[in-house]
Amino acid sequence: MTDPITRPPWAGRDLSGQWGASRAEWCASRVTAPGAAAGAERGQRSGHAGRGSPMSAGLGRGCRRLALCRPLRAWLRARAHTQQGEPGSLKIKPKTTHVPKIYTKTGDKGFSSTYTGERRSKDDQVFEALGTTDELSSAVGVASELSQESGHTFVKQLHKIQCMLQDVGSNIATPLSSAREAHLKRTSFSEKPVLELEQWIDKYSDQLPPLTAFILPSGGKSSAALHFSRAVCRRAERCVVPLVQAGEADANVAKYLNRLSDFLFVLARYAAMKEGKEEKIYTKSEP
C-alpha cells in the first residue's frame, strides 16, 4: 500500500483539463507565498481593484488557482514533517480497543450482587440455584458435543435448552421481593418453554420401545452424558423449589426444570437406540 505522505493527492488522476498545462508548476511556486490571497483581499478592500476591472478578473483567477493548490500544500506540509522526523498530518493512528478485565474483586469478601442490586452472601439460596443451573448448562454442553460427533439431529434442541437455561438464571437472579417493574419485564419466565418440552417428550417417546425395567446410565457416550445432565437437572430443580415456595422465583422455572429432566431421560434412551448401543438393566444383588 502506498504511503499517503509520499503519494500526492492528485496521483493517478488526469487534471490537464482542470489545471492546464503549467498550472501544477505555478501552484508549487505559490505554496511558499501564503500571503498572496491575503494581499489580493487587501487590494479589494482598498479599492484598487474595482468590480469588473482587469485586475479584479486576475485576482479571481489567482484565488481559484490557490484553491486548487490546497491539496498540494497539505501534502507538502505532511511530507516536510515526516522528513524532519515528526509524524505526518496525514498519517492515521490505529484505533485501540479497551478490553475489560475478567476479574472485578467485588466478591472477594464472600458477597455478590443480584440483578436487582442486592448484596447477598455467596452461600445464599439464590446463588446456589444459579451455580447449579450453570453447572447444568455445562453438562448439557458436553452431551451436545458428544451427540454431534455421533450425528444426532437433536443437537439443535440441546442448544436451545442451553439458551433457555440462561433465561432461567436471569429469573433466579431477580428475587421477586426486591424486583421493580422494569426488572420483571426483562426476566419473567412464561409457560411456553414448558409446553414445548412436553411436545418434544411426546415426539421422542413415541419412537422408543416400552420401558420394562429400571435402566442404568449407559448406552454409549452420548446417552451416558445425557443421563448425567438429567441428574444435574434434578439437583437444580431441588435448589429452585425453595425460591419458588418463598415467592422469590417464578413457578414456571421449577416446572421447566422438572420437564427438562424428563426430556433428558427420554433423549438418552433415544440416543442409545439410534446408535445401537445396549442400555444396562438394573439387577438386584443376591443377599
Side-chain angles (χ1 to χ4, degrees), residues 252-270:
N252 287 323
V253 170
K255 290 181 182 179
Y256 182 82
L257 294 174
N258 184 271
R259 299 299 186 280
L260 179 57
S261 61
D262 292 336
F263 174 68
L264 292 171
F265 175 77
V266 171
L267 207 59
R269 295 197 64 213
Y270 178 82

Side-chain angles (χ1 to χ4, degrees), residues 216-220 223 272-273 275-281:
L216 303 174
S218 56
S223 179
M273 182 191 71
E275 294 179 24
K277 300 294 179 63
E278 181 184 2
E279 294 179 294
K280 293 181 175 61
I281 304 299

Side-chain angles (χ1 to χ4, degrees), residues 14-27:
D14 182 12
L15 300 177
S16 58
Q18 183 179 355
W19 283 27
S22 61
R23 196 164 290 178
E25 291 83 355
W26 182 88
C27 285

Side-chain angles (χ1 to χ4, degrees), residues 169-186:
S170 297
N171 186 268
I172 295 171
T174 311
L176 298 180
S177 61
S178 59
R180 298 189 298 272
E181 188 64 27
H183 294 136
L184 298 177
K185 287 182 179 180
R186 293 179 62 89

